[in-house]
Amino acid sequence: MPRQARIDTPGLLHHVISRGLERREIFKTIEDYQDFVDRIDTSLQKSPNQILAWALMPNHFHLLIRSGSGGITRFMRRLMSGYATSFNARHKRVGYLFQNRYKSIVCEEDTYLKELVRYIHLNPLRAQLVKDLEGLRRYPFTGHAVLMGMVKHSWQEKEFVLALFGRNEKEGHRRYEEYVREGTKEGNRPDLVGGGLKRSHGGNWPSKKERESYDSRILGSGGFVESVLKEVEKDDRSKSRFQKMGWENFVSVVAKAQGIERDRLFEKGRRQSVSDGKAILIYVGTTYFGKTNKAMANMLCMAEPPASRAKDRGRELMEK
C-alpha cells in the first residue's frame, strides 16, 4: 500500500519522531548533540516554525512543532540533511543516517499539547539516561532543561508553554514541574506516538461517527480529524489551481491586482502596492510552487530576513 502524503497545512501541531537507521546511534558525542541543537536554530531562521518541546536521545529525537506559514517540510529537510552530512563527515562514514522518512503526527492542540510536552520531556528518564527528576533538570538536550531555567535557547517557545501552567513564570515553573512529576507514574504512552483516533482511545472505537473520521496521520477527536482533512482538501485545491495557472501568469495577475507594472515587482522599492505584491508572491511561491525563501528574495531584490517576514503578510493578503 502506498504511504499517505504528509499533512503540512500551516498552523497545526506536529509530533515529529525520527530514528537512526536500524536504530543505530545518531548522536555519539556531545559535539553531535550540540550540532543538532545549533541546526534547529539556523533552520528555524530560514523556515520559521514554533518549537514547543523537544528531546534528543542516542538513537532518535522528538520535536513538538506548531507549523509556520510554510509548513514543516522544508524545516525538517534542512535540519536532517544538514545534520546527516555533518555527522558523516565528523565520523568518517557514508550512507543514510536516518531510518526512512521522519514520522509526523498531527495532534489536536487543545487536548494533547500539555500531555505531549510532558511525554517528550520525560524521554531521558524513561530510557534511564538520567536517574531522577533532578537529573532530568540537568539533562541539556531536552526542552525540559530550558523550561526549568537550566539551559537557554531563544528559539524554544518557553514563555508560551509555561503560561499554560501559571499566570507568571514562577507559578508556571512550579505547576509544570508538578505535572511532570505526576507523569513519571504513567510509563510509556503508545497513544501519543502512533497517531489515529482508534489508538488514542486505547484501540476501542467510541462511536460510529468518530470511526468514520479516523486517519492514521492524526491524533484527535473525530471532529478534529474532519476539520484537518477539510483544510488539506482545500490546500490541495489551491495548489492545483495555482500550478494550473502557472507562475508567470500568476505574477501578471498580482501586478494587475496591485495596479503596477509587472517589472516593478522585481525591482527594489517601498511603495505599498509593490511591497504587498511581493509579499503575495513570496507566500504563494514558497507554498504552492516549491520555491525557496532565498530564491524568492533574490528574485524580488530583497534580503532574506525581510522576505521571510513578508511571507506571513502575503498569506493574510491572499486570505483577504
Side-chain angles (χ1 to χ4, degrees), residues 92-110:
K92 297 180 172 56
R93 70 181 296 274
V94 295
Y96 294 110
L97 177 62
F98 296 103
Q99 177 178 296
N100 300 321
R101 62 178 189 169
Y102 62 87
K103 177 188 286 188
S104 173
I105 305 160
V106 173
C107 305
E108 189 168 11
E109 186 164 329
D110 290 346

Side-chain angles (χ1 to χ4, degrees), residues 11-12 19-20 24 28 41 46 76 86 90 99 107 147 149 158 162 174 225 231 235 238 247-249 251 268 274 304:
L12 294 176
R19 300 185 183 280
R24 297 174 187 170
K28 292 178 176 288
D41 189 8
K46 295 181 179 295
M76 291 304 303
S86 177
R90 210 162 31 246
Q99 177 178 296
C107 305
L147 293 177
K158 174 183 176 181
L162 288 178
R174 178 177 58 79
V225 172
E231 283 299 310
D235 200 48
S238 296
W247 175 250
E248 295 300 326
N249 286 335
V251 172
K268 291 183 178 181
V274 174
E304 274 194 73

Side-chain angles (χ1 to χ4, degrees), residues 53-275:
W54 57 284
L56 309 187
M57 309 292 285
N59 69 351
H60 70 283
F61 67 81
H62 295 257
L63 297 174
L64 187 61
I65 309 173
R66 186 190 290 119
S67 58
S69 61
I72 68 170
T73 301
R74 288 196 183 92
F75 165 73
M76 291 304 303
R77 184 186 303 128
R78 179 176 283 112
L79 172 64
M80 293 177 68
S81 63
Y83 177 74
T85 300
S86 177
F87 180 93
N88 282 352
R90 210 162 31 246
H91 296 286
K92 297 180 172 56
R93 70 181 296 274
V94 295
Y96 294 110
L97 177 62
F98 296 103
Q99 177 178 296
N100 300 321
R101 62 178 189 169
Y102 62 87
K103 177 188 286 188
S104 173
I105 305 160
V106 173
C107 305
E108 189 168 11
E109 186 164 329
D110 290 346
T111 306
Y112 290 104
L113 175 55
K114 290 169 72 172
E115 286 194 69
L116 284 163
V117 169
R118 177 169 67 182
Y119 173 81
I120 289 171
H121 288 164
L122 279 171
N123 263 266
L125 185 58
R126 283 196 302 272
Q128 299 182 337
L129 295 179
V130 298
K131 294 181 179 180
D132 50 28
L133 286 176
E134 181 57 34
L136 185 64
R137 285 171 59 97
R138 300 181 182 282
Y139 184 78
F141 302 114
T142 73
H144 180 73
V146 177
L147 293 177
M148 298 309 299
M150 305 299 290
V151 177
K152 291 184 179 181
H153 292 302
S154 60
W155 46 262
Q156 183 176 333
E157 299 293 332
K158 174 183 176 181
E159 289 76 16
F160 172 82
V161 173
L162 288 178
L164 298 173
F165 296 91
R167 293 166 294 182
N168 53 58
E169 187 169 327
K170 183 177 180 180
E171 183 183 28
H173 273 143
R174 178 177 58 79
R175 296 181 64 183
Y176 164 73
E177 191 168 27
E178 290 173 358
Y179 185 69
V180 171
R181 188 179 301 279
E182 292 171 2
T184 60
K185 307 170 187 175
E186 294 187 346
N188 289 325
R189 291 287 305 276
D191 54 313
L192 297 180
V193 298
L197 180 65
K198 182 177 180 180
R199 196 158 188 179
S200 70
H201 285 274
N204 298 313
W205 294 113
S207 71
K208 181 178 178 181
K209 180 180 179 181
E210 289 184 320
R211 181 162 67 247
E212 292 171 348
S213 304
Y214 165 79
D215 190 293
S216 61
R217 299 167 295 176
I218 305 171
L219 178 63
S221 66
F224 176 70
V225 172
E226 289 177 3
S227 68
V228 170
L229 294 181
K230 284 180 182 177
E231 283 299 310
V232 170
E233 184 179 356
K234 178 182 175 183
D235 200 48
D236 287 344
R237 287 199 303 268
S238 296
K239 185 174 183 179
S240 176
R241 184 170 71 250
F242 283 121
Q243 292 184 343
K244 185 176 181 179
M245 179 188 298
W247 175 250
E248 295 300 326
N249 286 335
F250 180 68
V251 172
S252 297
V253 168
V254 171
K256 184 177 180 180
Q258 295 301 112
I260 57 177
E261 294 293 325
R262 190 178 190 278
D263 290 346
R264 293 295 304 275
L265 292 168
F266 303 99
E267 302 171 349
K268 291 183 178 181
R270 296 185 178 181
R271 184 177 166 185
Q272 191 64 49
S273 58
V274 174
S275 178

